[in-house]
């Protein structure tokens, strides 16, 4: 049993490193990810690399193309709509179940994440924006008794991380995200759960609209053409 566990752990570590490299632009859209080169770089066989690439394909970060292998996915308007449609449906439901169960410790945790988010914005630490955004949202849903839904939402947040970084690349969007996260905490702390859920839905929809504008105006080479 030890060997398979070690193998799965290795594959997961490669997923994390490749995901970060795609999100921070080390591997831009359209880049080919060759299994042999990656295996050599990580000092492993092609098997865990191949499994890592399949996982990244499931997250929408790469496409497995016949005869070409793994290609870093381009920015897609269709994907934004798909991901944010699901987030708008699922996340308010999770918050409605989780918020009434919040403790003082939960609010301290949310405040800590929000402070870290503020610091990352001020320092323009791009590598932390997306992760802190995901951490904040998942902390809102920690007590929701729907583990499968929480797993799905985590995957959606990981997929949208790439777009979130793009959307937060301008000062106005960063300030808006900071204020809206603070407002969500305040509403939950005041036990205004229904209002918090409606606000969360508007927050997700506003991010989607902003992203659609940003991606639509990006050079064609940075995104897939949408029919």
């Amino acid at each position: 049993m030890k060997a398979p566990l070690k193998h799965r752990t290795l594959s997961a570590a490669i997923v994390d490193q490749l995901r970060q490299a795609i999100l921070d632009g080390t591997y831009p859209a359209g880049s080919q990810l060759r299994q042999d080169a990656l295996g050599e770089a990580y000092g492993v066989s092609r098997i865990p690399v191949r499994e890592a690439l399949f996982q990244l394909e499931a997250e929408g970060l790469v496409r497995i193309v016949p005869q070409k292998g793994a290609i870093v996915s381009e920015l897609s308007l269709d994907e934004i709509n798909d991901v944010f449609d699901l987030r708008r449906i699922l996340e308010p439901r999770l918050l409605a179940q989780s918020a009434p169960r919040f403790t003082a410790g939960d609010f301290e945790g949310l405040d800590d994440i929000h402070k870290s988010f503020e610091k990352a914005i001020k320092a323009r630490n791009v590598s932390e924006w997306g992760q802190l955004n995901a951490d904040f949202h998942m902390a809102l849903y920690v007590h929701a008794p729907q583990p499968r839904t929480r797993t799905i939402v985590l995957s959606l947040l990981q997929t949208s991380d790439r777009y979130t970084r793009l959307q937060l690349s301008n000062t106005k969007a960063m300030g808006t995200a900071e204020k809206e996260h603070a407002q969500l905490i305040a509403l939950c702390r005041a036990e205004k759960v229904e209002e918090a859920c409606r606000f969360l839905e508007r927050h997700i929809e506003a991010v989607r609209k902003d992203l659609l504008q940003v991606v639509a105006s990006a050079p064609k080479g940075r995104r897939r053409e949408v029919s």
Side-chain angles (χ1 to χ4, degrees), residues 111-123 125 128-134 136 164 168 173-179 181:
D111 288 338
D112 287 343
I113 295 172
H114 185 61
K115 289 176 183 176
S116 296
F117 188 72
E118 290 177 326
K119 290 179 181 178
I121 286 176
K122 290 177 182 178
N125 191 338
E128 292 187 10
W129 292 346
Q131 184 59 55
L132 287 168
N133 183 68
F136 177 81
T164 300
L168 289 175
M174 287 188 289
T176 299
E178 183 179 338
K179 291 177 181 177
H181 284 185

Side-chain angles (χ1 to χ4, degrees), residues 63-79:
R63 293 177 293 124
I64 307 298
V65 181
Q67 310 303 323
K68 291 186 178 181
I71 306 294
V72 177
S73 298
E74 296 163 333
L75 301 177
S76 165
L77 301 181
D78 285 338
E79 184 176 56

Side-chain angles (χ1 to χ4, degrees), residues 1-10:
M1 295 295 292
K2 290 184 179 180
L5 180 60
K6 181 178 179 181
H7 177 71
R8 287 196 297 271
T9 303
L10 180 60

Side-chain angles (χ1 to χ4, degrees), residues 71-153:
I71 306 294
V72 177
S73 298
E74 296 163 333
L75 301 177
S76 165
L77 301 181
D78 285 338
E79 184 176 56
I80 290 174
N81 282 318
D82 191 19
V83 168
F84 280 81
D85 277 344
L86 290 170
R87 286 189 58 191
R88 190 180 62 179
I89 293 169
L90 298 177
E91 292 188 47
R93 292 180 182 177
L94 290 176
L95 182 61
Q97 293 293 318
S98 181
R101 298 176 169 88
F102 281 163
T103 65
D106 293 323
F107 284 114
E108 288 179 6
L110 283 166
D111 288 338
D112 287 343
I113 295 172
H114 185 61
K115 289 176 183 176
S116 296
F117 188 72
E118 290 177 326
K119 290 179 181 178
I121 286 176
K122 290 177 182 178
R124 298 196 65 82
N125 191 338
V126 180
S127 64
E128 292 187 10
W129 292 346
Q131 184 59 55
L132 287 168
N133 183 68
D135 289 346
F136 177 81
H137 279 265
M138 292 308 296
L140 288 174
Y141 319 136
V142 64
H143 294 301
Q146 290 96 9
R148 285 178 180 255
T149 305
R150 282 190 282 116
T151 298
I152 292 170
V153 167

Side-chain angles (χ1 to χ4, degrees), residues 1-2 16 22 28-29 36 40-41 62 101 106 124-125 131 152 162 167 194-195 219 226:
M1 295 295 292
K2 290 184 179 180
D16 289 340
I22 292 171
D36 53 352
E40 183 176 347
V62 306
R101 298 176 169 88
D106 293 323
R124 298 196 65 82
N125 191 338
Q131 184 59 55
I152 292 170
R162 186 181 187 195
Q167 186 250 352
E194 290 186 9
E195 187 176 345
V226 181

Side-chain angles (χ1 to χ4, degrees), residues 92 95 184 187 193-203:
L95 182 61
L184 278 169
L187 288 171
V193 178
E194 290 186 9
E195 187 176 345
C197 292
R198 290 194 297 269
F199 186 85
L200 175 60
E201 185 174 353
R202 292 196 299 272
H203 168 68

